[in-house]
Structure formats: C-alpha cells, structure tokens
C-alpha cells in the first residue's frame, strides 16, 4: 500500500522574482566583461608601444582580431546555452563530449578565473579610487576588503536583488563610453592634447609582438562565459533570455572595444605614467570637464562591482559540480532567495585571502588573470566541435568550422598568455589547476565509495525487522534518566542502562539507589581504572548479540547559549567515540529546562 501526502505546490512565481531578466542578466553577469574595456585596450597599447608609432598602428587590427574571436565565442556560447540549459558552460560541454577528467580541468579553470576576477576587479576599482584620491592610498587593503564585504552582502540577498542594484551603474558606464566614442569620432582634433609618449627603446613590429598584444588584449574577453554558466539563474524561458543576454553582451563589448581602438589611433594615444589609456581617450574626446569625471567615476564603480559576475556564475557552477559528486554536497544547497550561500562564502573567503596576500595591489594579481579562462574557452570550443560531429543537425558543417576556428584561436591565446606570464606569477595557475583537479577527483572517489557501500542505483532487498538493543548511559538517577529509559522502552526489544565507574566512585550507593527506584531495566556496571568514558562502552557494545544497537544519550538543553559552558560535555564525548568506533545508532535526547 502506498500513502500519498499532498503538499501545497511550490510557489514558482515567488521563486521567479529572485531570478534574472535579460537586462538583469547583463547587470549581474556581464560587469566583468563590460569593465574590461578599461584595461583591455590599454593592455594592447602597452605592448605595441615598444615599436613606436608603427606598432601603435596595429591597435585596430589587433582589436578587430579580438572582436572576431569575441563574435565566435558569443555565437558558440549561444549554442552552449541551448545545448546545456542547466548551466555549467565549458564544464557542461567538456563533461558531455570530452570526458570527466577534461570537464574537471574546465571546472578548475573556471573556478580559478572566478576567484581571480573578484580579487582583480575589487583591487582595480580601489586602485582607480586611490588614484583620484591619493589620501586613501594607505588604506588600500581595508578598502578592498570593505568593497568585497559590500558586494557579498548584496549577493546574499539574492542574485535578482544584486542585478537591480547594478543596473544603473552598468547603464551609466556603457552610456558614457558610447558618448566618448561618438563625440570622439565627430571631432576633427582632440579637445585636449594627449599626454606625451614615454621615451623607450623601439623594437620592430614582428609576429611575436603582435601575438603578445593579442594575448594581452584578450583579457577583455574574460567574463564572456559567465552567462552560459548561470542559465538556471534566469527567468523562464531561461534559454531564450540567456541567449539574448549573451548576444547583447557580445555586441556591446565589441562596439566599445572597436570604438576605443579607432579613437586611440585617431588621437595617437600613447602610454603615459600615471594616466590610463581610457583616461586619455576620454580627455581627447570630451575634454577635462564634467563629462571626463563622470566617465572616470563610472569606471571606478563598475570595476569595483565587476566582481559580481563571479558571484553570479561560480555558485551555479559549484552546484553542478556538487550534483555530479565533484564537490561537497553542501555547495548544492540553496537558501530561500535562490542563493547558494556556500558558493558565495567560498568565493568571498578565497578572494579575501588573495587580496590580503597581495596587499590589495592590482599589479600583483593581474599576471595571474586570464590564463584559466582560455583553457575553459578552448575545451568548450573543442567539445562543441564533437557535439556537432555527433549530432549532425542542420548546418552542422558550418558550425564545426566556427567552433574549430574558435578552438584554434583560444588555444593559441592560452599558450601565448601562459608563456608570456609564466615568470610573472602565471606558474601559480599552472600548478593550481592540476591541484584542484586532483582534489575534485578525490571527492568524487569518496562519494563513489560511499555510493557503492549504500548500494545506490540498485534495488535493495525488502526490509526486515531485526532484534534490537537500546543502551542508555546513566550517571545519576533523575527525571532526565526516567525520560531517557521511557523513550528507550518504546524503541527496542531489549533495554539496558549502563553505568561507567572509575576508581574512588561510590558504586555501592548508586546501585542501592537504582535498586530502590527499580525502573524495570537491568543496570550494567562497567569499570575502567584509566578513567575513560567512551572506551568501556565501545567494548561493551562489541559484545552485543543483537544485530541492531541503539545508544540513547540524554542531555540537558540549557535556556541560554552561555550556559553551555556549565555542562560537562560527557554526551558529546560519548557520541563522538561511538560514531567513530561502532555501528550503533547514536541518538541524543534533549531535555529542555524551560
């Protein structure tokens, strides 16, 4: 006979309130990619400037190549969203088509990138702030940790709440950059002359220089995968909304990157001490009035908030990894507001450690950035190639070419970025990735062993009752003892009270009191001259003939938290010893004083 308990259906409408719209998805998951226009073009210019004006003439071609790669990635991740609506991005693709180990490499690269993105974004935002207000420079680390705490607090209230909070800063930043580009294109000459170029020994423009500029500029592509990783965070229809957000992100980012590259060449912008490339472009386009300060302030805010991309993506990825037994299952738990608190907590703690180790200095963290994300990009592209070769759906040949070309570009970028940044701290990422894969393998192996022991996935034999023994440790005769024995009598076939005695204990007085009370339960006396508490009971239980043994430990639950220090903790000591060294079912009966 089967009994069906009717429950009120879940309030899906209420849950949907805490999920993302297209605009909300851009605000919550795209800040990393949006903010990269503040340092992506500069990374290209810094490399090309060593070849003087001839090198800087390649700014637009290099940016166009990056924009082409961005278009390939955008179209590819749009396909990933449709093929993997449960999220996971590169991890989901690799798991389905490249095997579990490759998927763990993709997952490790994404975890590293998410953590570094938080640390770099917060440090970059604070660096921009301290550049504008030098008096704050001695407080850099405290400011970094304060911003991290603020972003964490917003995300703990729910991703939709954080999205609404970040829509306005995102809109102001994108709008101000578009204004800079449009006004700059209309100007015949710069509003303010750009800063003087730094005097450096010039190099010739070669393939290696262009490859390095391309690899540096690809830092602007970090965060492109975040939407594909967090599809479950969108409102229904999730796939369509996530795809629209991905395309909007690709279009906005490409427009800003190409527009800024055109202005860099038009106004002959060069690297200058103490002045960013974006600051120079803004000055040349808008002058040094209100518009300039609006762009700078919007950049500071968005860089600080760009960490929100990781808070939207990593917890969803961690949930998938936990569901696949690659991370502890607590990462799959969600709170009322659709918040993965353990994923957010992990991200906050690891990012805080990085910021403390680096003392909040952005330049210490940047060399570690972007290596991991290109590993994920490459695995995702290769996995999608195998997807189309296996599915052979409509237009599959063109899609294979698209993803194959993307895999070639991202693979080359991964190799160049790793090689050029290896001695600057990139070696740490090269070491960290296999360590993370090893740890996830160990977690998976542990869960597999537990599953085999529990016979998960197999139909067990029908349950049959076993004769049982219920043991009640007693230290005195009281109402607590009475309630414990009463509960034990309702649980098992045979009940016995166990009293552990030590030298100098008044054993006779206790036995006399027990006989006088006469609860109808036998009393077993266990003597231990070494004054141990758990070991005598463990040895006694091993001699039990019953197949099922219960141990009922009675404890007082105090009214106030501070009163716990008044307890002797005998119950905790017994429970720990029994769980570690016996197969007994340990239950702790709480007696509430109130």
């Amino acid at each position: 006979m089967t009994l069906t308990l009717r429950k009120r259906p879940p309030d899906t409408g209420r849950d949907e309130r805490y999920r993302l719209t297209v605009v909300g998805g851009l605000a919550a998951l795209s800040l990393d990619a949006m903010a990269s226009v503040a340092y992506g073009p500069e990374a290209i210019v810094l490399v090309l400037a060593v070849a003087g004006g001839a090198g800087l003439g390649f700014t637009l071609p290099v940016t166009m190549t990056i924009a082409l790669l961005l278009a390939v990635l955008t179209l590819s991740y749009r396909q990933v969203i449709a093929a993997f609506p449960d999220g996971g991005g590169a991890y989901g693709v690799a798991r389905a088509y490249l095997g579990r180990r490759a998927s763990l490499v993709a997952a490790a690269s994404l975890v590293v990138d998410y953590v570094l993105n938080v640390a770099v974004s917060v440090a970059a935002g604070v660096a921009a702030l301290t550049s504008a207000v030098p008096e704050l420079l001695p407080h850099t680390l405290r400011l970094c940790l304060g911003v991290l705490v603020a972003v964490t607090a917003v995300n703990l209230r729910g991703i939709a709440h954080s999205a609404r909070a970040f829509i306005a800063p995102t809109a102001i930043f994108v709008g101000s950059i578009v204004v800079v580009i449009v006004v700059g294109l209309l100007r015949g000459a710069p509003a303010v002359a750009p800063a003087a170029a730094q005097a450096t020994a010039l190099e010739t423009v070669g393939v290696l220089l262009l490859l390095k500029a391309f690899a540096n500029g690809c830092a602007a592509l970090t965060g492109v995968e975040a939407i594909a990783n967090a599809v479950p965070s969108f409102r229904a229809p999730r796939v369509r909304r996530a795809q629209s957000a991905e395309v909007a992100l690709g279009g906005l980012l490409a427009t800003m990157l190409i527009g800024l590259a055109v202005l860099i060449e038009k106004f002959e912008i060069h690297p200058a001490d103490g002045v960013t490339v974006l600051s120079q472009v803004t000055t040349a386009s808008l002058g040094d009035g209100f518009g300039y300060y609006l762009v700078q302030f919007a950049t500071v805010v968005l860089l600080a908030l760009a960490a929100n991309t990781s808070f939207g993506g990593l917890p969803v990825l961690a949930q998938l990894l936990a569901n696949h037994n690659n991370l502890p299952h607590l990462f799959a738990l969600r709170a009322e507001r659709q918040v993965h608190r353990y994923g957010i907590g992990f991200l906050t703690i690891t990012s805080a450690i990085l910021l403390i180790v680096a003392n909040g200095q952005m330049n210490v963290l940047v060399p570690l950035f972007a290596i991991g994300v290109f590993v994920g990009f490459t695995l995702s592209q290769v996995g999608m190639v195998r997807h189309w070769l296996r599915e052979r759906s409509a237009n599959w040949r063109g899609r294979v070419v698209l993803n194959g070309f993307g895999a070639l570009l991202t693979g080359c970028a991964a190799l160049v970025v790793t090689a050029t940044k290896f001695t600057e701290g990139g070696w740490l990422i090269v070491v960290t990735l296999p360590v993370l894969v090893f740890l996830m393998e160990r977690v998976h192996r542990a869960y597999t062993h537990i599953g085999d022991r529990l016979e998960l996935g197999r139909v067990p034999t029908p349950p049959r009752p076993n004769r049982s023994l219920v043991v009640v440790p007693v230290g005195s005769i009281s109402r607590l003892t009475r309630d414990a024995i009463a509960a034990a009598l309702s649980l098992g076939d045979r009940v016995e009270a166990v009293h552990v005695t030590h030298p100098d204990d008044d054993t006779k007085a206790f036995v006399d009191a027990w006989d006088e009370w006469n609860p109808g339960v036998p009393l077993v006396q266990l003597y231990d001259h070494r004054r141990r508490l758990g070991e005598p009971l463990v040895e006694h239980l091993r001699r039990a003939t019953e197949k099922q043994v219960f141990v009922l430990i009675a404890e007082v639950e105090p009214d106030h938290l501070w009163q716990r220090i008044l307890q002797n903790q005998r119950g905790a000591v017994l429970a720990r010893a029994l769980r570690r060294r016996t197969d007994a079912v340990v239950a702790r009966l709480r007696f509430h004083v109130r």
Side-chain angles (χ1 to χ4, degrees), residues 235-476:
R235 292 182 185 176
R238 289 171 177 71
V239 169
R240 184 170 60 81
R241 290 183 188 275
Q243 286 179 325
S244 299
E246 185 72 46
V247 172
L249 169 62
L252 286 172
L253 184 56
T255 299
M256 290 188 290
L257 289 174
I258 293 172
L260 291 174
V262 170
L263 296 186
I264 288 170
E265 289 196 2
K266 178 178 180 178
F267 296 135
E268 298 180 353
I269 303 296
H270 296 76
D273 287 331
V275 184
T276 65
V277 168
L278 180 60
S279 174
Q280 293 185 64
V281 172
T282 304
T283 303
S285 178
L286 303 180
D288 52 8
F290 172 78
Y292 168 80
Y293 287 102
L294 177 63
V295 174
Q296 291 302 103
F297 179 74
T299 303
V300 170
V301 172
L302 206 75
L303 279 168
L305 299 181
N308 200 65
T309 297
S310 295
F311 282 96
L314 185 136
V316 176
L317 174 64
Q319 180 194 23
L320 275 177
L321 289 168
N323 288 338
H324 297 152
N325 295 331
N326 296 315
L327 282 182
H329 287 171
L330 58 84
F331 283 99
L333 300 178
R334 288 194 295 185
E336 177 188 4
R337 292 174 176 265
Q338 302 297 314
V339 172
H340 301 87
R341 288 183 175 172
Y342 290 99
I344 290 175
F346 167 81
L347 187 56
T348 300
I349 292 170
T350 51
S351 302
I353 291 172
L354 279 177
L355 287 168
I356 292 170
V357 171
N359 199 31
Q361 300 302 310
M362 179 186 66
N363 291 332
V364 177
L365 297 168
V366 167
L368 308 178
F369 204 30
I371 295 176
V373 72
F374 281 108
V375 175
F377 281 164
T378 305
L379 289 172
S380 174
Q381 298 296 307
V382 173
M384 289 305 292
V385 168
R386 297 195 66 176
H387 170 77
W388 299 124
L389 290 175
R390 184 180 299 178
E391 298 292 327
R392 295 182 181 270
S393 56
N395 302 319
W396 67 272
R397 289 184 177 86
R399 292 172 176 174
V400 166
V401 172
L402 174 69
N403 293 131
F405 182 56
L408 177 64
L409 287 178
T410 55
C412 290
L415 292 174
V416 173
V417 171
T418 303
T420 55
K421 296 185 177 182
F422 188 83
T423 57
E424 301 174 21
W427 63 269
L428 183 60
I429 306 303
V430 175
V431 172
T432 300
L433 290 180
V435 169
L436 286 177
V437 171
F438 171 76
L439 292 176
M440 287 189 283
E441 286 274 20
R442 289 297 300 270
V443 170
H444 186 83
R445 198 176 308 154
Y447 277 126
T448 300
H449 175 68
I450 294 171
D452 289 342
R453 292 286 292 160
L454 295 177
E455 300 183 5
L456 294 178
R458 286 175 279 177
V459 178
T461 58
R464 295 288 184 268
N466 297 313
R467 285 194 56 80
S468 60
L469 166 67
V470 184
V471 175
V472 182
V474 295
S476 62

